[in-house]
Amino acid sequence: MQALPGFRDFLPDDCAARNYIFTQWRNVSRRYGFAEYDGPLLEELDLFVRKSGAEIVKQLYDFTDKGGRAVALRPEMTPTLARMVAASHRDFRKPIKWFSIPQMFRYERPQKGRLREHYQYNCDIIGEASPDADVELIAVCIDILRAFGLTADDVVVRISDREFWADFLRAQNVAEDRWQQVLEVIDKSEREAREKTAERLGDLAEAVFRILEEGGRSEKLDRIVDGLRQRGLADFVKVDLRIVRGLAYYTGVVFEAFDRAGKLRAIAGGGRYDNLIHQLSAGSASLPALGFAMGDVVLGELIRENAAASAKMKATMARDQQLDVYVVIAKEERRGHAVAQVQELRDRGYRVDYPLTEAKVGKQFQTAEHLNAEVAVLYGDEWPQVKVKRLATRDEQLVPHEELLARLVASSTLSSRAERSGVEGSRGSSER
Amino acid sequence: MQALPGFRDFLPDDCAARNYIFTQWRNVSRRYGFAEYDGPLLEELDLFVRKSGAEIVKQLYDFTDKGGRAVALRPEMTPTLARMVAASHRDFRKPIKWFSIPQMFRYERPQKGRLREHYQYNCDIIGEASPDADVELIAVCIDILRAFGLTADDVVVRISDREFWADFLRAQNVAEDRWQQVLEVIDKSEREAREKTAERLGDLAEAVFRILEEGGRSEKLDRIVDGLRQRGLADFVKVDLRIVRGLAYYTGVVFEAFDRAGKLRAIAGGGRYDNLIHQLSAGSASLPALGFAMGDVVLGELIRENAAASAKMKATMARDQQLDVYVVIAKEERRGHAVAQVQELRDRGYRVDYPLTEAKVGKQFQTAEHLNAEVAVLYGDEWPQVKVKRLATRDEQLVPHEELLARLVASSTLSSRAERSGVEGSRGSSER
């Protein structure tokens, strides 16, 4: 029996890789002053239909629950966020800066970069109309990519502005009810033959192509790029008016992050959606807002394909999965002392393992190596001394057992590990 | 519009409380050498039915997906674990020590301590028959409770042994097909009138009551308690043969953790299930195993009702949600310098926020207080000096702006925060 198609099992290495991604997402968000929230994985179906239309249902895991409610596994976070903000925004100072790492579900054919579930970092600023909020949001996106060891040579954030196109369409006397269709054609123009795009654009084709090829002037986008330049992040961005994002609800600056090599789907995308909370909350809250999302699947592919990023991930994972001490029991009559020592070390925040049953000493050392223990401590004939072996250097020392803890604490690598573990009084206890 | 009944929204404070619980679960597990895994939230319905029988379906969120598969949101982790272990156990040294923090779903009437979703810590040892593994597992459970600030005066782990009852029933010549029914009556005996229990036990009533009242002798349980005594954890446990756990698949030592006051449901429960992996994997893997689970809802209630535990949680959450620096922009012409400084501080791992739009200085300081910033740095008339104000003491200093970073690093609280953030080269980067 296997997992359902498009769903992942996370064996320990996979889980550590997933958690590595979560940790960078969390750390950068917190450095930017964003607070974490979450919502239910299951919501009323109508919440999603109200945002995206009835079309969305065929991509959803939707069903009727035992209470007769039409429900769905969440395909995206924004409707839940809007619901929560509408209910509680009066309790929070503006701007509200929130992030979340929800798991999302879509019934689609699984393919490269796209499964039926993924984890999707969501980051939103609510209640701030200033373009500096757009700069702040794009900066978080870039700094997250940097946290993974990616550089401006690896990734690019292409930024654009829906208002630029609104001004253009107004100037061209295009009726508002045709705007969304034109924007969708522009959105697809990169992936479609020029003739086909021209045909769909009709009389607008020439003017649109001129902008796409020669660029357009946008003071707002210049200001955004200047803001990123002040932060030293301008190398990561490119104004590109072809980015419009298909979704109808964007109202201003929009952006998407890509690998420079252009081999993968978009890594992240988002923008300003000043009217959406009003619409989704049926008018009960009216707040300018902007946000972006980044999924773990495409990002994971990019990290694995990038030498520096994958080296950074592996080094962090190895350090994180490492055991501090493996206690080797060479004489069963020492088990009692050994186990008491295991407990004391764990109480101090060390990661410690030992054989739960009698085993040959050679096999115990193999286990210690396999678990990537920094130190093995042997309880045997030397008692009341114990043998401390540093596995990387094979360096061995005999230590009176009552001095073991002090010796380990004096070792700089082992003491800092214990400090950052969740031990009583430690500062790092809830750093996730 | 609200969340579905029995489902929770996690506003930032709720999310921080949830993450606090997750962090203790993770930290203690890792100190014990357990590795984290996870599985899909959605599985084939049959996976759960094979373990628990068709009865389970009426408690599940089950439905038919768009591909015609009968699927269900997971109500528990063990079937997924068994599936994963059956497929991959040859790649891992025994014993396999794994933990997970999955979200679970049951369609039940929501009530105190019981919602329709909860997060459930799962901890299992696979491939080890020795009673020392039972000791290790019960010790993790106790040390998790200790990590929350709970003592032996607050909680008790009641331990028992299915084999004790199997021996008893064999000695009483009870047919094996009646055992499960008798065990379920014993399981319920605490919550049921004595006469009713007696009636259900029939001719076994006298012998069973004698054991429940006078206790029974179990060398195995004595050994478990001795093992916990070696670790200094004996105060937390009590042999109590009334604990049998209703579920049919337990084969040996079983245990449940309760608040001493007896006000809440069980906080945790588990035991040895040596035949279950064989059964669930249709014979493809045969491994002795044991595990336990602890949900976040009852645990959260216990923490909130316990003065020491709730004080510990609040202190950790406050420290964790604190901002390091709030940058106050008193003169808009200093915004560029201020923002460049914000970026530099964030790059160094500090948690920094600032006003995205022009605001009165007084209001900015209010925001700094509201965000619980340790330090406010003011960019104004004093430029090229900046004013550094420690919010707790109101202590102010003028500092040349180019010396700001060095001054903050020299401050011990702020430098250690930056160290444990996910900055390049920092050791703590992936500690979650």
Side-chain angles (χ1 to χ4, degrees):
Chain A
M1 221 161 171
Q2 295 179 316
L4 289 167
F7 285 78
R8 291 171 291 176
D9 284 337
F10 292 91
L11 289 169
D13 277 350
D14 310 316
C15 197
R18 180 191 80 173
N19 288 355
Y20 169 75
I21 289 175
F22 289 1
T23 300
Q24 312 313 314
W25 282 344
R26 283 203 170 92
N27 283 346
V28 177
S29 304
R30 290 170 168 203
R31 297 211 297 263
Y32 273 75
F34 285 81
E36 187 170 356
Y37 73 99
D38 201 354
L41 198 126
L42 201 67
E43 292 266 19
E44 285 187 34
L45 177 62
D46 186 47
L47 184 69
F48 305 117
V49 170
R50 270 201 286 157
K51 170 159 178 264
S52 307
E55 271 296 284
I56 186 82
V57 178
K58 60 178 190 235
Q59 288 173 37
L60 296 185
Y61 280 93
D62 66 305
F63 60 100
T64 303
D65 79 5
K66 290 188 162 63
R69 297 172 199 88
V71 297
L73 294 179
R74 61 187 172 198
E76 57 158 331
M77 200 59 177
T78 310
T80 298
L81 175 65
R83 181 174 63 64
M84 289 171 66
V85 164
S88 70
H89 73 92
R90 282 175 195 83
D91 301 334
F92 297 94
R93 271 180 112 82
K94 312 297 175 305
I96 292 170
K97 295 173 75 176
W98 283 1
F99 77 98
S100 191
I101 307 181
Q103 195 175 12
M104 303 302 186
F105 303 85
R106 289 219 185 212
Y107 195 86
E108 294 179 305
R109 195 169 57 78
Q111 50 191 296
K112 184 173 154 67
R114 210 144 195 174
L115 305 171
R116 285 180 170 160
E117 52 77 19
H118 71 151
Y119 291 92
Q120 190 193 56
Y121 171 76
N122 275 252
C123 181
D124 294 84
I125 301 175
I126 292 153
E128 181 56 70
S130 159
D132 279 21
D134 300 78
V135 175
E136 176 87 344
L137 191 75
I138 296 168
V140 186
C141 180
I142 294 170
D143 267 335
I144 283 176
L145 297 170
R146 288 174 71 215
F148 289 106
L150 299 165
T151 70
D153 292 333
D154 304 316
V155 288
V156 60
V157 178
R158 295 157 68 189
I159 65 172
S160 176
D161 184 10
R162 280 284 187 105
E163 279 187 318
F164 172 90
W165 287 109
D167 290 345
F168 165 82
L169 292 166
R170 219 176 275 116
Q172 300 280 330
N173 291 315
V174 178
E176 272 206 48
D177 59 8
R178 214 192 127 196
W179 289 13
Q180 179 60 22
Q181 182 254 321
V182 174
L183 290 172
E184 282 171 18
V185 175
I186 294 169
D187 184 50
K188 292 207 176 84
S189 66
E190 256 189 294
R191 305 180 292 280
E192 208 168 56
R194 187 188 166 96
E195 304 77 54
K196 191 149 186 197
T197 303
E199 188 190 313
R200 295 201 204 201
L201 289 171
D203 53 356
L204 290 171
E206 198 185 330
V208 169
F209 280 125
R210 197 178 316 123
I211 292 168
L212 293 182
E213 278 146 26
E214 295 169 18
R217 293 299 312 156
S218 162
E219 275 181 38
K220 200 206 296 177
L221 292 177
D222 290 347
R223 179 169 165 191
I224 303 278
V225 174
D226 283 345
L228 291 164
R229 187 168 294 116
Q230 269 177 345
R231 300 173 187 233
L233 303 176
D235 289 352
F236 282 88
V237 293
K238 183 171 181 288
V239 169
D240 187 339
L241 294 165
R242 283 173 302 182
I243 301 295
V244 294
R245 296 184 66 70
L247 304 165
Y249 59 84
Y250 286 110
T251 55
V253 171
V254 289
F255 62 95
E256 290 183 355
F258 291 91
D259 62 310
R260 290 263 186 199
K263 289 197 291 185
L264 305 173
R265 291 164 186 276
I267 306 160
R272 190 171 270 283
Y273 54 91
D274 283 344
N275 303 327
L276 189 65
I277 290 176
H278 181 87
Q279 179 207 321
L280 286 179
S281 68
S284 76
S286 206
L287 292 159
L290 60 163
F292 79 99
M294 184 186 296
D296 73 326
V297 177
V298 176
L299 176 65
E301 287 174 358
L302 177 59
I303 291 170
R304 279 188 296 277
E305 289 175 15
N306 182 288
S310 68
K312 185 176 182 186
M313 177 170 80
K314 279 178 198 153
T316 309
M317 280 170 56
R319 207 168 48 217
D320 204 45
Q321 293 179 290
Q322 190 174 35
L323 203 66
D324 293 316
V325 179
Y326 191 86
V327 169
V328 172
I329 302 175
K331 291 275 172 199
E332 276 302 309
E333 57 266 43
R334 297 289 156 247
R335 179 170 287 271
H337 292 113
V339 169
Q341 186 65 71
V342 165
Q343 179 72 28
E344 186 180 10
L345 291 171
R346 287 172 174 170
D347 278 352
R348 295 299 190 101
Y350 291 101
R351 297 184 184 170
V352 186
D353 214 345
Y354 76 103
L356 293 171
T357 192
E358 192 169 351
K360 293 211 170 104
V361 170
K363 197 179 159 227
Q364 292 185 52
F365 273 104
Q366 277 172 20
T367 302
E369 301 265 4
H370 178 80
L371 295 174
N372 201 13
E374 192 159 338
V375 161
V377 178
L378 181 138
Y379 284 73
D381 286 332
E382 301 82 358
W383 183 262
Q385 293 198 299
V386 295
K387 201 187 280 180
V388 177
K389 182 171 176 178
R390 200 158 283 276
L391 292 181
T393 59
R394 317 254 145 209
D395 178 46
E396 285 186 7
Q397 275 190 304
L398 276 179
V399 174
H401 82 277
E402 68 273 16
E403 287 174 26
L404 176 65
L405 186 63
R407 291 287 184 101
L408 293 176
V409 170
S411 150
S412 65
T413 48
L414 284 171
S415 65
S416 72
R417 161 93 72 175
E419 272 162 28
R420 72 171 207 263
S421 240
V423 285
E424 188 71 44
S426 147
R427 289 183 50 88
S429 63
S430 90
E431 185 74 20
R432 308 178 67 245
Chain B
M1 219 158 170
Q2 295 179 316
L4 289 166
F7 285 77
R8 290 172 289 177
D9 285 337
F10 292 90
L11 288 169
D13 277 349
D14 309 316
C15 197
R18 180 190 80 173
N19 288 355
Y20 168 76
I21 289 176
F22 290 2
T23 300
Q24 312 312 315
W25 283 344
R26 282 202 170 92
N27 284 347
V28 176
S29 304
R30 288 169 169 202
R31 297 211 298 262
Y32 273 75
F34 285 81
E36 187 171 354
Y37 72 99
D38 201 355
L41 198 126
L42 201 67
E43 293 267 18
E44 286 187 34
L45 176 62
D46 187 48
L47 183 69
F48 305 117
V49 170
R50 269 201 287 158
K51 171 161 178 261
S52 308
E55 271 297 286
I56 187 83
V57 178
K58 61 177 189 234
Q59 287 174 38
L60 296 186
Y61 279 93
D62 66 305
F63 60 101
T64 304
D65 79 7
K66 291 189 163 60
R69 297 172 199 88
V71 296
L73 294 180
R74 61 187 172 198
E76 58 157 331
M77 200 60 177
T78 310
T80 298
L81 175 65
R83 180 174 65 63
M84 289 172 66
V85 165
S88 71
H89 72 92
R90 282 176 195 82
D91 301 334
F92 296 94
R93 270 180 112 82
K94 311 299 173 308
I96 292 171
K97 294 173 76 176
W98 283 0
F99 78 97
S100 190
I101 307 180
Q103 195 176 12
M104 303 304 185
F105 303 85
R106 291 220 183 208
Y107 195 86
E108 294 179 305
R109 196 168 56 79
Q111 49 190 296
K112 183 172 156 69
R114 209 144 195 174
L115 304 172
R116 285 179 170 160
E117 51 78 18
H118 71 150
Y119 291 92
Q120 190 193 59
Y121 170 76
N122 275 251
C123 181
D124 295 84
I125 301 175
I126 292 153
E128 181 57 68
S130 159
D132 278 21
D134 299 78
V135 175
E136 177 86 344
L137 192 75
I138 296 167
V140 186
C141 179
I142 294 169
D143 267 336
I144 283 176
L145 296 171
R146 288 175 69 215
F148 288 106
L150 298 165
T151 69
D153 292 331
D154 304 316
V155 289
V156 60
V157 177
R158 294 157 67 187
I159 65 173
S160 175
D161 184 10
R162 280 283 186 107
E163 279 187 318
F164 172 90
W165 287 108
D167 291 344
F168 166 81
L169 293 165
R170 220 176 275 115
Q172 300 281 330
N173 291 315
V174 178
E176 272 207 46
D177 58 8
R178 215 193 127 197
W179 289 13
Q180 180 60 22
Q181 184 254 321
V182 174
L183 290 172
E184 283 171 19
V185 175
I186 295 169
D187 184 50
K188 291 207 176 84
S189 65
E190 256 189 294
R191 304 182 292 282
E192 210 167 54
R194 186 188 167 95
E195 305 76 55
K196 191 149 185 196
T197 303
E199 188 190 315
R200 294 200 203 205
L201 288 172
D203 52 357
L204 290 171
E206 196 186 332
V208 168
F209 280 125
R210 197 178 316 125
I211 291 168
L212 294 183
E213 279 146 25
E214 296 169 19
R217 292 301 311 156
S218 161
E219 276 181 36
K220 203 206 295 177
L221 292 176
D222 289 347
R223 181 171 164 188
I224 304 275
V225 174
D226 282 345
L228 291 163
R229 189 167 294 115
Q230 269 175 345
R231 300 173 187 232
L233 303 176
D235 289 351
F236 283 88
V237 292
K238 180 170 182 291
V239 170
D240 186 340
L241 294 165
R242 284 172 300 181
I243 300 294
V244 295
R245 294 183 68 68
L247 303 163
Y249 59 84
Y250 286 110
T251 55
V253 172
V254 289
F255 62 95
E256 291 183 355
F258 290 91
D259 62 309
R260 290 261 185 199
K263 289 197 291 185
L264 305 172
R265 292 165 184 276
I267 306 159
R272 188 171 272 283
Y273 54 91
D274 283 345
N275 303 328
L276 188 66
I277 290 176
H278 181 87
Q279 177 207 322
L280 286 180
S281 68
S284 77
S286 208
L287 291 160
L290 60 164
F292 79 98
M294 183 186 298
D296 73 326
V297 177
V298 176
L299 177 65
E301 287 174 358
L302 177 59
I303 291 170
R304 278 188 297 278
E305 289 175 14
N306 182 287
S310 69
K312 186 176 183 187
M313 178 170 80
K314 279 179 198 153
T316 309
M317 281 170 55
R319 206 168 51 215
D320 203 46
Q321 294 179 289
Q322 187 174 35
L323 201 67
D324 293 315
V325 178
Y326 191 86
V327 169
V328 172
I329 303 176
K331 292 275 172 198
E332 276 302 308
E333 57 266 41
R334 297 289 157 247
R335 180 170 286 273
H337 291 113
V339 170
Q341 186 64 72
V342 165
Q343 180 72 29
E344 188 181 7
L345 291 171
R346 286 173 174 170
D347 278 353
R348 295 299 190 100
Y350 292 102
R351 297 184 184 169
V352 185
D353 213 345
Y354 75 104
L356 293 171
T357 193
E358 193 169 349
K360 293 209 171 106
V361 171
K363 196 179 158 224
Q364 292 185 51
F365 272 104
Q366 278 173 19
T367 302
E369 301 265 5
H370 177 80
L371 295 174
N372 201 12
E374 191 158 341
V375 161
V377 177
L378 181 137
Y379 284 72
D381 286 332
E382 301 83 358
W383 182 261
Q385 293 195 300
V386 294
K387 200 186 281 179
V388 177
K389 181 171 176 178
R390 199 158 284 276
L391 292 181
T393 59
R394 316 253 145 210
D395 178 45
E396 284 186 8
Q397 275 190 304
L398 276 178
V399 173
H401 82 276
E402 67 273 16
E403 287 175 25
L404 176 65
L405 187 62
R407 291 287 185 102
L408 293 177
V409 171
S411 151
S412 66
T413 47
L414 284 171
S415 66
S416 72
R417 159 93 72 174
E419 272 161 28
R420 72 170 208 264
S421 242
V423 285
E424 188 71 43
S426 147
R427 289 183 50 89
S429 63
S430 90
E431 186 72 20
R432 312 178 64 243

